[in-house]
Amino acid sequence: MKNWLPLNSRLQKLRAKLLNDPYYRLQSGEELQLAIQLGIQIDANQATVDDWLRLPGLSIHQARSLVELSRSGVKFYCIEDIAAALAIPVQRLAPVKPLLNFVYYDEESLECPAPLVNPNVATVEHLAKIPFIDISLAQAVVQNRLSAGPYRNLIDFQQRLALPPDAIAQLMYYLRF
């Protein structure tokens, strides 16, 4: 029982340090695991030099390189992209993978978002203006709506029109029910 109390106290101090010091650099596997448990994450496409330096084993030069690449428009989609950018084996980054979050920011869509269309009220002409919907699909959408009633949601829309998953993956950005 004596060993448990100092360990708990040490872990509590480390926990507080990880949560309260955004510049604290992780130094051991134990610290890394605690950071993962605490839900600490670094957005690979928005990370600062300080964010990258939190990861064990990354140099200031590597951190600056990643930030410069990101600022120049390079998008990181996975841990392999980070490894390639740093010219290091991906296995070296494997321990930090749970801390990295790969979010893709499409600047164009953020600046001018696509207008959302409700397929329960849209005309054939309006639906045909949506990317990935041709005139025959637009007609099928309206005909199905008129014969079977309004679409409840995206899943109902997909099932009733027998659309493949990749088509729905594209259309879900344009449709609202």
Side-chain angles (χ1 to χ4, degrees):
M1 192 83 166
K2 285 184 178 182
N3 288 339
W4 181 79
L5 288 174
L7 178 67
N8 188 29
S9 174
R10 187 179 59 76
L11 285 178
Q12 289 302 325
K13 286 179 184 174
L14 177 59
R15 182 181 187 278
K17 191 179 285 189
L18 289 174
L19 290 173
N20 297 319
D21 184 358
Y23 302 110
Y24 182 77
R25 188 165 186 168
L26 302 170
Q27 300 182 27
S28 69
E30 181 183 44
E31 290 181 2
L32 198 59
Q33 289 305 314
L34 185 56
I36 291 166
Q37 290 173 4
L38 293 172
I40 294 172
Q41 291 221 306
I42 296 171
D43 181 341
N45 290 301
Q46 297 286 312
T48 65
V49 171
D50 289 326
D51 292 331
W52 286 116
L53 286 176
R54 290 194 83 179
L55 302 179
L58 252 59
S59 70
I60 185 90
H61 173 72
Q62 290 171 318
R64 286 180 180 154
S65 294
L66 291 171
V67 170
E68 286 177 34
L69 284 169
S70 185
R71 286 185 182 155
S72 73
V74 172
K75 303 293 181 209
F76 301 115
Y77 296 101
C78 58
I79 195 85
E80 290 81 6
D81 291 349
I82 303 295
L86 297 175
I88 61 173
V90 71
Q91 295 86 347
R92 188 169 147 209
L93 293 174
V96 300
K97 185 177 180 180
L99 291 177
L100 295 175
N101 191 12
F102 295 92
V103 178
Y104 174 70
Y105 298 93
D106 178 6
E107 300 303 325
E108 184 179 308
S109 66
L110 290 175
E111 291 171 9
C112 51
L116 300 176
V117 176
N118 184 341
N120 288 318
V121 295
T123 64
V124 170
E125 294 76 21
H126 198 180
L127 288 165
K129 292 179 183 175
I130 297 174
F132 312 105
I133 294 186
D134 61 16
I135 193 73
S136 63
L137 179 54
Q139 290 170 338
V141 168
V142 172
Q143 186 175 1
N144 187 292
R145 177 183 76 213
L146 294 174
S147 64
Y151 300 101
R152 294 187 313 269
N153 52 38
L154 194 61
I155 297 166
D156 184 43
F157 183 82
Q158 177 187 18
Q159 291 173 345
R160 287 171 46 182
L161 296 168
L163 296 173
D166 56 332
I168 289 300
Q170 298 296 329
L171 292 173
M172 68 183 177
Y173 295 100
Y174 301 96
L175 302 176
R176 285 296 177 262
F177 298 85

